[in-house]
Amino acid sequence: MQKRIQAGFTLIELVVVIVILGILAATALPKFIDLSADANAAAVQGVAGAVSSASAINYAARKANPLNANTAAVATCTAAGTLLQGGALPAGYTIDTTAIPADTTVGCVVTKGTSTATAQVIGIS
């Protein structure tokens, strides 16, 4: 008798592989469902960090040379948002209007939707 050479997978083997893949997908899926909330929170934190950095650079430049035309007076959190490249916060973001005394650091709240982050802003008169 001739020995038969197997030419492929049996139906049972294919079904078992599909079931195993289904189980793996079902356990991994919840980790990827709500990434948009995390992405929004990270984006807001990034904008808050940019406002903090811009404020620190503006403060240092103004203290080094009070007549520096490239610096801005920052007396409110809203004014701190204008220090970003382009002169404004990105679309959809808001920053609170808290007044900031000169030479004082204040936490300004940056918001987009339900995500918030705090930017440390230094006031300059």
Side-chain angles (χ1 to χ4, degrees), residues 1 9 11-12 15-17 20 30 45 51 55 57-58 63 70 73 82-84 92 102 105 112 117-119 124:
M1 242 199 317
F9 298 108
L11 183 61
I12 301 284
V15 169
V16 168
V17 168
I20 290 172
Q45 289 173 351
V51 170
S55 169
I57 291 168
N58 185 59
K63 284 298 177 179
N70 295 322
T82 63
L83 297 174
L84 297 175
T105 301
K112 180 179 183 190
T118 303
I124 304 171

Side-chain angles (χ1 to χ4, degrees), residues 18-118:
I18 291 171
V19 167
I20 290 172
L21 289 175
I23 291 170
L24 290 174
T27 57
L29 188 63
K31 295 179 192 271
F32 300 106
I33 286 178
D34 193 20
L35 291 181
S36 63
D38 291 339
N40 283 336
V44 170
Q45 289 173 351
V47 170
V51 170
S52 295
S53 295
S55 169
I57 291 168
N58 185 59
Y59 180 80
R62 186 136 176 151
K63 284 298 177 179
N65 179 6
L67 302 176
N68 189 344
N70 295 322
T71 61
V74 176
T76 64
C77 290
T78 305
T82 63
L83 297 174
L84 297 175
Q85 183 176 357
L89 287 169
Y93 292 85
T94 58
I95 191 166
D96 61 10
T97 58
T98 305
I100 309 170
D103 298 328
T104 305
T105 301
V106 171
C108 298
V109 178
V110 178
T111 307
K112 180 179 183 190
T114 58
S115 300
T116 61
T118 303

